Amino acid sequence: MEKKWKRGKNPVRPARPVATLVAVASSLAAVLATAPTASAATSYAADACSSGYNRACFRIHYNSRSETTQLSQSACFISNKSITNHWGYSPNGASVVRYIFSGFPGYYTDPDGDTHKGMSDPCDAKGDGQYAADNAASAYNQDPSHSYTVYSNTGYAGSKKTIPRYDGIARNLGTGLKNKNSSSKRN
């Protein structure tokens, strides 16, 4: 038989589980608030060039080219492709690759002990480990087939300077681009 409730004469009902839900939610919030936050893993790359032994790469250099040499004497970032953002990229949203300057030898030894000729006119260590974005003062193009254009903004925008195909001469980026380099495009 179904029991009918009358207004004002309801017996005490059992407490709803609201209090329990509030307690569980509060506990969960406290655990989440104290849990360490996930951060992206960061790696560093100075070489985005796939040419054999890095001999046909475009290079941006940490230091300016001096008046007494045709080359920049400092660490460099090398590539043989367009780079839309000199800060780097995230390949999967969970990790970050940052572009940096590095020294590159003229010769290197592989894991088997064989010595190979590396990049002609190697980059030295002045500026090694510095970020490539907004830190370059000069550029040198070893690519015999393509010129490259350096831009002040990401996405190939802003002030620009085109570095011609390989001619053996490094070029200072100049007032509008020195330490304001954010992207470079292979032409």
Side-chain angles (χ1 to χ4, degrees):
M1 184 182 248
E2 192 175 314
K3 191 171 185 177
K4 293 189 177 182
W5 299 99
K6 293 183 181 179
R7 192 178 289 251
K9 299 204 177 196
N10 291 343
V12 175
R13 293 185 188 179
R16 292 188 183 196
V18 173
T20 305
L21 289 173
V22 168
V24 169
S26 296
S27 297
L28 182 58
V31 167
L32 291 176
T34 59
T37 58
S39 63
T42 302
S43 61
Y44 300 91
D47 185 347
C49 188
S50 60
S51 72
Y53 306 117
N54 297 324
R55 287 181 285 192
C57 302
F58 173 69
R59 302 159 30 166
I60 56 173
H61 283 264
Y62 182 73
N63 285 339
S64 299
R65 177 192 146 232
S66 80
E67 295 301 319
T68 60
T69 181
Q70 294 183 356
L71 298 174
S72 299
Q73 300 295 318
S74 63
C76 62
F77 169 76
I78 62 175
S79 72
N80 66 344
K81 60 184 177 179
S82 295
I83 304 287
T84 189
N85 189 342
H86 285 170
W87 280 110
Y89 64 98
S90 177
N92 57 17
S95 62
V96 176
V97 177
R98 294 280 184 228
Y99 293 134
I100 60 169
F101 292 108
S102 182
F104 287 92
Y107 293 88
Y108 69 93
T109 303
D110 67 22
D112 295 328
D114 297 324
T115 300
H116 299 277
K117 181 168 176 51
M119 124 181 359
S120 61
D121 308 313
C123 303
D124 70 23
K126 294 175 194 134
D128 190 52
Q130 297 294 316
Y131 287 118
D134 297 332
N135 272 328
S138 62
Y140 181 57
N141 189 4
Q142 291 180 277
D143 188 331
S145 304
H146 296 88
S147 64
Y148 287 78
T149 303
V150 178
Y151 294 87
S152 60
N153 297 329
T154 60
Y156 320 118
S159 299
K160 64 184 178 179
K161 180 170 186 162
T162 298
I163 310 300
R165 292 181 301 178
Y166 177 73
D167 64 1
I169 299 173
R171 288 165 173 79
N172 289 329
L173 293 179
T175 308
L177 288 170
K178 183 177 180 179
N179 297 327
K180 296 177 188 170
N181 61 295
S182 292
S183 60
S184 54
K185 188 172 188 177
R186 185 179 195 206
N187 304 312

